[in-house]
């Protein structure tokens, strides 16, 4: 959707195994089953001072 | 707000469960949750110092982020920052320190007890550039093109209608503004039955 809206300079961060830190075994197991990870994204909206 | 997507769960039930879970995070932060919480977790993620260190325990103890969006850059002085689902305010209060008195940090959350924590911590820190709103993030009480930076951590994954959230982010961001978000992503297919399980949404 960000690409479709023309966002630029899109960067994605490295995945973090957030739920591996859970104290609950069931949560760790479910997170592993679905591959649930934390991650980040940065993007700039088109327009403003920069040429698009 | 009426969602534009067919959600696999009852939206009102989901919101109630989310509010219940995050009220507990704000009022009983020392109990064990299924996700990591607290200042030590923010430090482990590499949250920016000295700004994190200055955030009062009452807020930092309720930190429930999933990754570190600050790795993509700091907020600059004078910028208007919007924190979607600001919770007890860790990210919001960090942003408020970075933007300074000539900027503004706006926090949006649907959980009153979280907002109260954020408000109290801002007062303790003497921050006068913090603004808080009780609202859904699919329906932002802000003007179009009014924000320089949108931040969020571990919140958008809780909302079934992500397109509505992104549409609102795009509306309030000024041209040339940026978003930096941390959230959960799923690498494996989730079955239709699993999508109907509230516990998988709130976790």
């Amino acid at each position: 959707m960000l690409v479709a809206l023309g966002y630029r300079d899109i960067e994605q961060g490295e995945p973090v195994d957030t739920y591996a830190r859970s104290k609950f075994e069931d949560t760790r197991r479910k997170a592993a089953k679905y591959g649930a990870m934390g991650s980040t994204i940065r993007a700039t909206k088109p327009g403003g001072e920069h040429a698009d | 707000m009426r969602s534009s997507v067919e959600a696999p769960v009852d939206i009102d039930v989901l919101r109630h469960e989310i509010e219940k879970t995050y009220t507990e995070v704000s009022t009983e932060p020392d109990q064990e949750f299924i996700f990591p919480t607290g200042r030590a977790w923010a430090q482990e993620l590499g949250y920016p110092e000295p700004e994190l260190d200055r955030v009062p325990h009452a807020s930092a103890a309720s930190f429930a982020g999933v990754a570190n969006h600050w790795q993509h850059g700091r907020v600059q002085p004078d910028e208007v920052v919007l924190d979607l689902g600001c919770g007890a305010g860790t990210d919001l209060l960090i942003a408020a320190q970075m933007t300074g008195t000539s900027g503004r940090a706006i926090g949006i959350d649907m959980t009153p007890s979280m907002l109260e924590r954020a408000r109290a911590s801002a007062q303790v820190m003497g921050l006068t550039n913090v603004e808080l709103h009780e609202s859904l993030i699919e329906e932002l009480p802000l003007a179009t093109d009014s924000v320089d930076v949108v931040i969020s951590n571990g919140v958008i994954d809780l909302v079934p209608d992500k397109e509505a959230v992104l549409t609102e982010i795009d509306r309030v961001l000024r041209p040339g503004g940026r978003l930096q978000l941390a959230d959960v992503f799923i690498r494996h297919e989730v079955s239709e039955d699993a999508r109907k399980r509230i516990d998988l949404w709130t976790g």
Side-chain angles (χ1 to χ4, degrees):
Chain A
M1 185 173 171
L2 291 174
V3 172
L5 290 169
Y7 278 64
R8 53 186 164 75
D9 304 330
I10 298 176
E11 296 173 7
Q12 190 168 351
E14 289 297 313
V16 178
D17 201 355
T18 306
Y19 294 100
R21 273 77 165 179
S22 176
K23 297 185 172 86
F24 297 88
E25 193 278 332
D26 184 54
T27 299
R28 296 195 299 272
R29 185 183 54 76
K30 282 190 287 194
K33 176 180 178 183
Y34 295 113
M37 306 278 279
S39 191
T40 59
I41 190 166
R42 180 196 193 279
T44 302
K45 183 174 176 175
E49 297 172 2
H50 298 88
D52 296 309
Chain B
M1 180 182 188
R2 190 162 294 281
S3 173
S4 62
V5 298
E6 182 100 6
V9 290
D10 184 305
I11 296 288
D12 291 332
V13 172
L14 176 60
R15 285 178 182 154
H16 174 75
E17 288 301 315
I18 290 169
E19 189 163 347
K20 191 171 113 185
T21 298
Y22 288 90
T23 295
E24 287 177 12
V25 174
S26 68
T27 57
E28 302 172 54
D30 295 331
Q31 81 171 63
E32 292 186 349
F33 296 95
I34 62 171
F35 39 79
T37 59
R39 186 186 300 278
W41 172 230
Q43 289 168 332
E44 185 178 338
L45 287 171
Y47 258 49
E49 298 287 4
E51 288 87 357
L52 173 62
D53 189 51
R54 295 180 186 134
V55 174
H57 175 73
S59 287
S62 299
F63 173 76
V66 299
N68 178 13
H69 63 85
W70 295 109
Q71 68 182 285
H72 296 292
R74 295 171 61 88
V75 166
Q76 299 304 309
D78 304 340
E79 287 186 320
V80 176
V81 188
L82 168 63
D83 185 356
L84 297 180
C86 65
T90 297
D91 284 277
L92 179 75
L93 298 170
I94 289 171
Q97 293 175 71
M98 291 177 175
T99 190
T101 52
S102 54
R104 202 155 38 109
I106 305 166
I108 304 281
D109 206 281
M110 69 173 195
T111 307
S113 62
M114 283 286 198
L115 289 168
E116 200 44 53
R117 289 250 161 176
R119 186 172 289 111
S121 290
Q123 285 179 350
V124 166
M125 296 174 75
L127 294 170
T128 56
N129 60 343
V130 172
E131 181 181 314
L132 293 160
H133 298 275
E134 184 180 334
S135 170
L136 299 173
I137 62 172
E138 306 97 307
E139 193 174 9
L140 297 172
L142 300 174
T144 299
D145 296 346
S146 61
V147 169
D148 296 303
V149 187
V150 174
I151 61 174
S152 184
N153 198 339
V155 175
I156 298 172
D157 65 293
L158 301 171
V159 181
D161 193 352
K162 290 163 182 57
E163 188 173 329
V165 178
L166 289 173
T167 298
E168 276 294 81
I169 291 174
D170 185 60
R171 181 182 68 78
V172 301
L173 258 185
R174 68 164 173 77
R178 67 187 185 282
L179 58 84
Q180 51 185 62
L181 313 173
D183 226 306
V184 175
F185 71 97
I186 304 291
R187 292 179 298 170
H188 308 315
E189 186 71 21
V190 178
S191 68
E192 283 304 312
D193 283 346
R195 288 172 195 266
K196 294 173 185 168
R197 288 179 52 187
I198 291 281
D199 64 310
L200 292 178
W201 283 88
T202 57

